[in-house]
Amino acid sequence: EVQLVESGGGLVQAGESLRLSCAASGFTFDDYAIGWFRQVPGKEREEVSCIMRSDGSTHYADSAKGRFTISRDNAKNTVYLQMDRLKPEDTAVYYCGVDHGAYCTGDYGLSFAEYWGQGTQVTVSS
C-alpha cells in the first residue's frame, strides 16, 4: 500500500523555522518526483518545492526560493522541507505528493500528484 505521512507542522512566529518530514512507503517505482504543496481555504493547492528520488534534482516555487530547502534521505524514504524565515503568508496546510511520471528541474515543478499525504498544518503568526 502506497503511503505518505507528513509531520513537523506547528505554530511559529514570523522569522522562525520549521522542518517538515514526509515518510514514503509502498512505492515500487524506480524513480519518482516527490513534492511539497500547500493549500489555504478557498485557494488551489500549489506546489512549493519538489525533488527527484534518484538524482536529487530540485525545483522551488518563487515563494520558496532562498527560504526553503528540500532534501531527501533515500535510506529512510523520507523527504524534508526546511522552512526558514517564515512569513504569515506561509500559513497553510502542507501536503507531500508523488508523481512517478514527472521530473523536477530548476524550471519545472509538479502541477499534479498521484498520491497524497494527509497534510500538516503550518501556522505563522505575525
Side-chain angles (χ1 to χ4, degrees), residues 6 54 56 68 84 99 123:
E6 302 100 332
S54 57
F68 295 0
D84 298 321
D99 183 354
T123 303

Side-chain angles (χ1 to χ4, degrees), residues 14 22 28-30 36-37 43 47 53 55-56 58 66 72 77 79 83 90 95 99 102 109 113 115-117 125-126:
C22 174
T28 59
F29 314 125
D30 291 336
W36 285 98
F37 298 73
K43 292 191 175 182
E47 186 230 40
R53 185 183 189 281
D55 64 8
T58 61
R72 78 208 192 287
N77 287 322
V79 171
M83 303 188 294
D90 295 317
Y95 299 88
D99 183 354
Y115 305 97
W116 293 102
S125 63
S126 58

Side-chain angles (χ1 to χ4, degrees), residues 2 20 40-42 44 46-47 49-50 52 55 65 68-72 92 101 109 115 118 126:
V2 169
L20 305 183
V40 298
E44 291 188 357
E46 62 176 8
E47 186 230 40
S49 182
C50 67
M52 295 304 299
D55 64 8
K65 288 178 181 176
F68 295 0
T69 304
I70 193 168
S71 62
R72 78 208 192 287
Y115 305 97
Q118 82 286 354
S126 58

Side-chain angles (χ1 to χ4, degrees), residues 1-117:
E1 179 187 2
V2 169
Q3 197 170 20
L4 297 168
V5 180
E6 302 100 332
S7 61
L11 171 63
V12 297
Q13 293 189 332
E16 294 184 339
S17 299
L18 277 175
R19 189 176 81 155
L20 305 183
S21 299
C22 174
S25 61
F27 290 96
T28 59
F29 314 125
D30 291 336
D31 193 18
Y32 51 83
I34 185 165
W36 285 98
F37 298 73
R38 66 187 183 187
Q39 189 171 24
V40 298
K43 292 191 175 182
E44 291 188 357
R45 195 171 295 187
E46 62 176 8
E47 186 230 40
V48 175
S49 182
C50 67
I51 189 167
M52 295 304 299
R53 185 183 189 281
S54 57
D55 64 8
S57 179
T58 61
H59 174 267
Y60 293 94
D62 288 343
S63 60
K65 288 178 181 176
R67 298 189 300 126
F68 295 0
T69 304
I70 193 168
S71 62
R72 78 208 192 287
D73 183 338
N74 288 345
K76 296 182 179 180
N77 287 322
T78 300
V79 171
Y80 305 98
L81 185 68
Q82 177 67 40
M83 303 188 294
D84 298 321
R85 301 191 301 280
L86 282 161
K87 303 175 182 180
E89 51 263 44
D90 295 317
T91 296
V93 178
Y94 284 71
Y95 299 88
C96 64
V98 165
D99 183 354
H100 86 282
Y103 193 82
C104 297
T105 72
D107 295 327
Y108 296 99
L110 296 181
S111 58
F112 165 80
E114 299 167 283
Y115 305 97
W116 293 102

